[in-house]
Amino acid sequence: MVLPVIMVLGAGLGGTIAAYEIRDAVKGKADVMVVNEGEDFWFVPSNPWVAVRWREPDAIKVHLPPVIAKKGIGFTAVGARRVHPAENRVELNDGTSLSYDYLVIATGPDLAFDEVEGLGPQGFTQSVCKTDHAAHAADMFEQLAANPAPVVIGAAQGASCYGPAYEFAMIVDTELRRRKVRDRVPMTFVTAEPYVGHLGLDGVGDTKSLLESEMRGRHIKWITNARIAKVEQGLMHVEEVNEDGSVRQQHDLPFGFSMILPAFRGVPAVFGIEGLTNPRGFILADKHQRNPAFPNIFSLGVCVAIPPVGKTPVPVGVPKTGFMIESMVTAIAANLKLILAGQEPTEEATWNAVCLADFGDGGVAFVAQPQIPPRNLNWSSEGKWVHLAKIGFEKYFLHKIRRGTSEPFYEKLALHALGIRKLRFK
């Protein structure tokens, strides 16, 4: 008997876990296949550590083919050129095609460096969005440490991932102090957020006060409501915007090292497909993570279209945090199991957020239930324990990837004991 094919597009933080969990949920009822560009999984949350040489890239890498094969999951590393949803087909980069019965899109984003002149590794700023970017940033950081100069770190207009920018600013501060050169490195944090600690979520708990206090204590100046107009070699042109969108002040910031997170958009394989994506190329999804126009397509993670949390003078996107993504994974796996049993999908992800922001010698943790306000729980805390917890989480998540496991029973028990659920009560 030929079984239906469930294709997972992407093998990042969400896609790899999704392949494992879906396989366990539909075993014997469907075949699961993963389409990815490259054979390796990279633990992206550790990229800020890579960029200051606290981690080597190989330490956060898992070679996927042997793990995937043990799970009985198909795999190709050719990568997707274009999704053809009307034909239930994915065109690969080598010109061949693969057919599917159900598609789970977990591609992550395309990095829109080109939307700001001079931004990105091909321009004049660094990135921690990809591990190879972070490895290159580490080389540039070594040059900074040898020849101290001003530093500019932050997130451009339209960005939807702010935690790593804060993390990296604090980590750079910590490492420069360890090398006894921090006193020769003025630091400025530039962000599209309307206030420090907004995070694209209108804050979580007391993140505004916590992060402002942390930055004051580390002598990091900041510019909010910032729009980066242009980046040149060693000089960033920034417009500070009023509430009505008019320019309040222009800043010309010299730098010897800069890391700016870009805006995200949908990847070329899905961008501009009517009914599947919004104008930015993000996948449209209902409360069951299913696309309204193509109900056999599901999506999870950064590629999902989520409206901004309120209006801001400078465009600010909504982050898709790790636990939020895992809750999408669990909902999709459960709904595919229902569909294969001849039932309608009923499961909804909670979109709860559990985040650890490491600052090198401390950090901030927050829990938002759900991630998008209004919330049932809105909590944040700080301390050295966050740094240790982030190290533990890195090791634990990489262990899950290497084992081919999505959610061990003890993880589920611990989360339930804390009242943190992946699926909504029905």
Side-chain angles (χ1 to χ4, degrees):
M1 182 178 68
V2 178
L3 297 177
V5 174
I6 300 172
M7 183 183 294
V8 179
L9 193 57
L13 284 173
T16 307
I17 291 295
Y20 297 161
E21 191 159 336
I22 291 168
R23 173 63 176 168
D24 291 341
V26 305
K27 194 171 183 178
K29 302 288 186 182
D31 290 327
V32 179
M33 171 149 200
V34 174
V35 175
N36 189 54
E37 192 164 351
E39 295 187 338
D40 299 318
F41 168 90
W42 302 92
F43 188 66
V44 173
S46 291
N47 284 350
W49 292 342
V50 172
V52 293
R53 297 246 162 88
W54 292 359
R55 289 290 184 280
E56 290 301 320
D58 283 352
I60 60 169
K61 180 179 78 172
V62 178
H63 190 59
L64 288 174
V67 183
I68 294 279
K70 285 181 182 178
K71 291 289 289 184
I73 298 170
F75 184 82
T76 176
V78 175
R81 177 183 295 166
R82 193 66 171 171
V83 173
H84 299 275
E87 303 170 31
N88 293 337
R89 175 174 67 90
V90 173
E91 179 186 354
L92 303 183
N93 285 328
D94 63 0
T96 63
S97 291
L98 292 172
S99 297
Y100 61 82
D101 295 283
Y102 301 95
L103 179 64
V104 179
I105 301 176
T107 58
D110 185 41
L111 306 175
F113 292 117
D114 59 290
E115 293 182 351
V116 177
E117 184 180 347
L119 194 68
Q122 302 302 315
F124 305 106
T125 64
Q126 307 304 314
S127 162
V128 294
C129 295
K130 294 183 177 181
T131 306
D132 60 338
H133 291 173
H136 181 263
D139 294 336
M140 298 300 102
F141 179 78
E142 291 299 328
Q143 293 183 22
L144 170 75
N147 300 283
V151 166
V152 179
I153 293 172
Q157 55 270 27
S160 56
C161 187
Y162 297 91
Y166 286 103
E167 281 191 307
F168 191 59
M170 309 303 182
I171 287 169
V172 165
D173 168 80
T174 299
E175 181 60 16
L176 290 174
R177 282 188 282 112
R178 289 177 180 174
R179 299 192 188 201
K180 309 300 183 185
V181 296
R182 177 65 178 89
D183 59 310
R184 289 183 279 161
V185 181
M187 289 182 65
T188 305
F189 190 81
V190 172
T191 178
E193 301 161 274
Y195 58 83
V196 167
H198 180 280
L199 302 173
L201 298 169
D202 199 12
V204 181
D206 198 24
T207 50
K208 182 178 188 294
S209 296
L210 288 176
L211 288 170
E212 282 188 354
S213 176
E214 192 74 32
M215 293 174 81
R216 284 193 188 97
R218 294 172 183 262
H219 305 285
I220 300 173
K221 297 180 180 180
W222 65 80
I223 303 171
T224 55
N225 283 330
R227 183 169 59 219
I228 300 173
K230 180 181 177 182
V231 185
E232 302 176 51
Q233 177 68 55
L235 188 64
M236 185 176 298
H237 302 281
V238 177
E239 298 173 342
E240 186 178 354
V241 174
N242 287 312
E243 291 297 315
D244 62 0
S246 61
V247 176
R248 176 184 178 187
Q249 188 175 354
Q250 293 184 333
H251 303 266
D252 291 331
L253 303 176
F255 65 85
F257 177 91
S258 177
M259 195 293 295
I260 300 291
L261 300 178
F264 292 164
R265 61 189 170 213
V267 299
V270 299
F271 197 99
I273 298 177
E274 187 175 353
L276 183 64
T277 65
N278 71 5
R280 286 290 293 178
F282 294 115
I283 310 298
L284 301 169
D286 65 13
K287 63 183 180 180
H288 305 301
Q289 303 301 137
R290 187 165 67 164
N291 179 256
F294 304 99
N296 64 334
I297 297 181
F298 294 78
S299 58
L300 63 95
V302 179
C303 69
V304 175
I306 300 178
V309 179
K311 187 177 180 180
T312 53
V314 180
V316 172
V318 177
K320 289 89 172 182
T321 59
F323 189 82
M324 178 188 188
I325 293 171
E326 290 194 61
S327 76
M328 294 180 186
V329 167
T330 297
I332 291 171
N335 284 327
L336 283 168
K337 184 176 181 179
L338 288 170
I339 290 170
L340 291 171
Q343 302 176 45
E344 284 296 307
T346 59
E347 299 293 355
E348 299 177 37
T350 56
W351 287 15
N352 290 334
V354 181
C355 291
L356 301 169
D358 171 59
F359 296 163
D361 52 1
V364 171
F366 66 82
V367 178
Q369 297 186 11
Q371 178 167 297
I372 310 299
R375 303 183 177 109
N376 295 314
L377 178 63
N378 198 36
W379 173 87
S380 60
S381 182
E382 64 177 333
K384 293 185 182 298
W385 66 271
V386 179
H387 174 66
L388 299 174
K390 187 71 177 277
I391 294 173
F393 178 70
E394 174 199 61
K395 296 183 183 304
Y396 173 66
F397 201 94
L398 285 168
H399 173 73
K400 287 203 301 182
I401 297 296
R402 293 187 180 108
R403 287 287 304 273
T405 303
S406 171
E407 186 184 49
F409 75 92
Y410 48 84
E411 178 184 331
K412 187 178 292 186
L413 287 174
L415 290 171
H416 279 213
L418 293 170
I420 302 172
R421 298 177 58 88
K422 292 182 177 178
L423 298 178
R424 288 186 179 274
F425 286 107
K426 289 183 286 186

